Amino acid sequence: MTQAQIVTSSAKRRLTGIVADGAFKVVLGAAYVIASAQLGGLLGVSAWLMAVSGVVLLIGGGIELRYVRSRPIRTHLRLMIAYDSGWVLTALAGALMAWLGGSAGGEVWIGYQAAAPLAFAALLMAAAPVRPVADRLTENSAH
C-alpha cells in the first residue's frame, strides 16, 4: 500500500466517524423528542428538558453533518473529542450523584446535552472552511 493510499484510507475512516457522530446526535435527539416523558421519567428529568435537549441534539447533529466536507477533519475531531469528553464527565458526575442518593444526576447529564451541542455547532460554523484543492495547489506552486 502506498503512502497516498494510507492517507486516503485514514481520511475516509475519520470522515466516516464524523458522519456517524452527527447521525448519532440526530437519532438520539429524535429519541429524546419522541420519548421525552418516558426517558425523562427514567432519568428523573422533566419532559420539557428532555424535549429541549432533543431539539438541540437534532440541530447540533444536523449542523455537524452539514459542515462535514466544508470544515477540516482535524477541526471536527478536536471538537468531537472536547464534546465527548464533556459528555463522559457529566455522565460520570450524574452517575456519582445518583449513587450518592442525589436526585439531580439526570439533570446534570441532560442539561449538558441541552447546551453543549449548540457550542459545538457554533464553533464548527465559526471554524475556517476547507480551502479548495486548486487554491492549495496554486499556493504550493508559488513557493
Side-chain angles (χ1 to χ4, degrees), residues 22 24-26 28-30 32 52-62 83 87 113-114 117:
F24 178 78
K25 285 179 180 125
V26 169
L28 186 62
Y32 282 10
V52 167
S53 180
V55 169
V56 170
L57 279 165
L58 281 165
I59 292 167
Y83 175 89
W87 197 82
Q113 293 176 65

Side-chain angles (χ1 to χ4, degrees), residues 6-21:
I6 291 170
V7 170
T8 302
S9 176
S10 175
K12 283 182 182 178
R13 281 195 309 274
R14 289 181 179 145
L15 191 61
T16 301
I18 293 166
V19 170
D21 188 73

Side-chain angles (χ1 to χ4, degrees), residues 33-84:
V33 169
I34 293 167
S36 59
Q38 297 89 341
L39 291 172
L42 288 173
L43 295 170
V45 176
S46 62
W48 72 264
L49 182 57
M50 288 299 301
V52 167
S53 180
V55 169
V56 170
L57 279 165
L58 281 165
I59 292 167
I63 289 172
E64 186 173 358
L65 292 171
R66 163 67 177 89
Y67 285 93
V68 74
R69 293 215 182 260
S70 64
R71 297 298 186 263
I73 289 175
R74 184 178 203 151
T75 299
H76 275 276
L77 293 178
R78 286 180 176 172
L79 289 172
M80 285 168 49
I81 289 167
Y83 175 89
D84 290 345

Side-chain angles (χ1 to χ4, degrees), residues 109-140:
W109 187 54
I110 297 302
Y112 175 82
Q113 293 176 65
L118 293 178
F120 180 99
L123 291 169
L124 187 60
M125 290 188 304
V130 173
R131 291 188 332 225
V133 174
D135 290 350
R136 288 181 278 167
L137 292 175
T138 304
E139 181 180 293
N140 289 337

